[in-house]
């Protein structure tokens, strides 16, 4: 029995699957990741991306932050790929409990997933820091300099977790609960090097931990099934109707 067949059988047997995903889920939709050869960390800017996307930089150089953010972090026209769609179908079939994602692009919801725990927030949500009025991503795209609230003039901030900021406590607790109660965990498209998010997987206590990633990760030895491949090539081989 090959790895895809084992993977399929485990999905068939399971009733509360959790998917934990990273940048590799979205790269197949055309969204660049951070750490690959062509990723944002390997491009040249006046400041390193991790400096620009920090809380301190947002406070001190808000205009510079938004120049980078608009150019590199917003992908409103990108569409979900096979992985997003299969996960949404598994949830619809009552097999998938939740998607826990490190991505901020909203593609899981666009594909139809209902319970998506966004560890690092979402570019699709933005709010005024003064009066907390909500603004859609179009407000950021259409602004020329620092976007400001049309209600009170306050600075609009993306609802994303910047470097130096903590994760949302409620999101964390929900992720811990779902992982603790899962009978299968699929980890996909993540190098598991971003903390504290990467530590969450250790709340899973079952014996069906599937790790799908192109390159080795620190959790490979813990996995019950390791598939060194792109997510799209794996998920495209699943017969959803038979699961």
């Amino acid at each position: 029995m090959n790895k895809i067949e084992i993977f399929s059988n485990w999905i068939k047997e399971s009733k509360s699957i959790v998917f934990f995903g990273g940048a590799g889920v979205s790269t197949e939709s055309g969204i660049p990741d951070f750490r690959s050869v062509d990723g944002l960390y390997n491009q040249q800017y006046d400041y390193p991306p991790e400096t620009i996307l920090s809380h301190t930089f947002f406070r001190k150089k808000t205009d510079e932050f938004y120049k980078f953010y608009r150019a590199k972090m917003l992908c409103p026209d990108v569409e979900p790929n096979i992985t997003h769609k299969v996960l949404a179908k598994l949830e619809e079939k009552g097999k998938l409990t939740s998607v826990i994602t490190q991505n901020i692009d909203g593609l899981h919801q666009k594909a139809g997933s209902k319970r998506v725990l966004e560890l690092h927030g979402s570019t699709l949500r933005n709010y005024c820091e003064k009066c907390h009025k909500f603004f859609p991503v179009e407000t950021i795209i259409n602004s020329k300099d620092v976007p400001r609230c049309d209600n009170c003039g306050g600075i609009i901030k993306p609802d994303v977790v910047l470097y130096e900021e903590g994760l949302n406590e409620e999101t964390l607790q929900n992720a811990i609960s779902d992982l603790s109660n899962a009978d299968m965990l699929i980890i996909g498209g993540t190098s598991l090097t971003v903390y504290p998010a990467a530590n969450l997987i250790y709340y899973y206590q079952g014996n069906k931990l599937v790790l799908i990633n192109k390159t080795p990760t620190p959790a490979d030895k813990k996995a019950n099934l390791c598939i060194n491949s792109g997510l799209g090539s794996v998920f495209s081989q699943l017969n959803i109707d038979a699961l």
Side-chain angles (χ1 to χ4, degrees), residues 7 10-11 14-21 87 90-91 94-101 108 115-117 119 171 174-188 200-206 208-212 235:
F7 184 39
W10 286 2
I11 292 174
S14 303
K15 292 176 181 173
S16 54
I17 303 168
V18 168
F19 178 84
F20 183 97
L87 291 169
L90 287 174
E91 183 187 42
K95 288 195 158 288
L96 188 83
T97 305
S98 66
V99 168
I100 302 171
T101 181
H108 285 292
R115 185 169 173 83
V116 182
L117 303 176
L119 296 174
T171 305
N174 284 333
I176 289 168
S177 175
D178 287 0
L179 284 161
S180 301
N181 294 305
D183 60 6
M184 180 176 182
L185 172 60
I186 305 167
I187 300 172
L200 286 173
I201 65 166
Y202 296 104
Y203 284 96
Y204 172 69
Q205 298 299 315
K208 293 192 186 84
L209 197 168
V210 181
L211 213 161
I212 307 166
F235 277 85

Side-chain angles (χ1 to χ4, degrees), residues 57-70 74 126-130 135-158:
F57 196 90
F58 178 79
R59 286 276 165 263
K60 292 185 176 176
K61 296 181 180 287
T62 315
D63 54 342
E64 288 290 322
F65 169 90
Y66 267 113
K67 279 179 192 170
F68 177 88
Y69 185 81
R70 269 191 293 266
L74 300 180
N126 306 275
Y127 62 93
C128 171
E129 292 193 294
K130 262 192 187 176
F135 291 90
V137 69
E138 287 77 20
T139 303
I140 309 299
I141 294 168
N142 296 329
S143 62
K144 288 187 179 168
D145 298 306
V146 176
R148 290 190 172 270
C149 178
D150 55 9
N151 184 47
C152 72
I155 292 173
I156 298 171
K157 183 180 186 292

Side-chain angles (χ1 to χ4, degrees), residues 26 28-31 75-81 84-85 107 110:
S26 295
E28 293 181 15
S29 284
I31 294 178
C75 310
D77 300 323
V78 173
E79 292 299 322
N81 58 54
H84 297 107
K85 292 171 185 173
L107 287 178
K110 203 170 185 179

